């Protein structure tokens, strides 16, 4: 859990800033696929250090997914409810 949280702290803003020029749909698909791959490697890993490194990488993908979803949340909800949609996404 600590490696996962550390990855979130270190990556949330820089990785999102580095990917801001990419097409959102492609970025979301790539990050979801990457997230699935690192979770599969974690599930199959028998080495603690490899699992910690992979969990760190998983959070890099997870941070990008969550930052990308905010934009989709606003676009999917009615204009007058976009604030509520983001608040609901953050709570759940």
């Amino acid at each position: 859990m600590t490696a996962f949280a550390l990855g979130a702290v270190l990556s949330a803003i820089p990785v999102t800033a580095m990917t801001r020029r990419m097409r959102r749909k492609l970025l979301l698909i790539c990050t979801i696929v990457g997230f699935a791959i690192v979770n599969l490697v974690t599930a199959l890993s028998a080495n603690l250090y490899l699992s910690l490194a992979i969990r760190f990488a998983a959070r890099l993908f997870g941070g990008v997914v969550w930052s990308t979803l905010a934009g989709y949340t606003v676009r999917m909800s009615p204009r007058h409810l976009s604030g509520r949609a983001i608040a609901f996404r953050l709570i759940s």
Side-chain angles (χ1 to χ4, degrees), residues 14-72:
V15 174
T16 302
M18 288 187 313
T19 59
R20 70 178 171 212
R21 295 199 195 311
M22 291 180 69
R23 290 183 18 224
R24 297 286 110 189
K25 187 174 183 178
L26 177 64
L27 177 63
L28 183 62
I29 290 170
C30 289
T31 54
I32 290 173
V33 169
F35 197 59
I37 290 169
V38 295
N39 281 320
L40 178 67
V41 172
T42 300
L44 299 176
S45 173
N47 185 326
L48 175 66
Y49 297 109
L50 175 62
S51 294
L52 287 173
I54 293 300
R55 292 310 297 158
F56 183 82
R59 191 54 199 152
L60 297 175
F61 287 114
V64 174
V65 167
W66 283 110
S67 66
T68 304
L69 288 179
Y72 281 112

Side-chain angles (χ1 to χ4, degrees), residues 69-89:
L69 288 179
Y72 281 112
T73 303
V74 170
R75 282 187 234 134
M76 289 188 323
S77 63
R79 190 173 210 56
H80 68 283
L81 295 176
S82 61
R84 277 190 185 173
I86 290 175
F88 182 75
R89 186 195 64 81

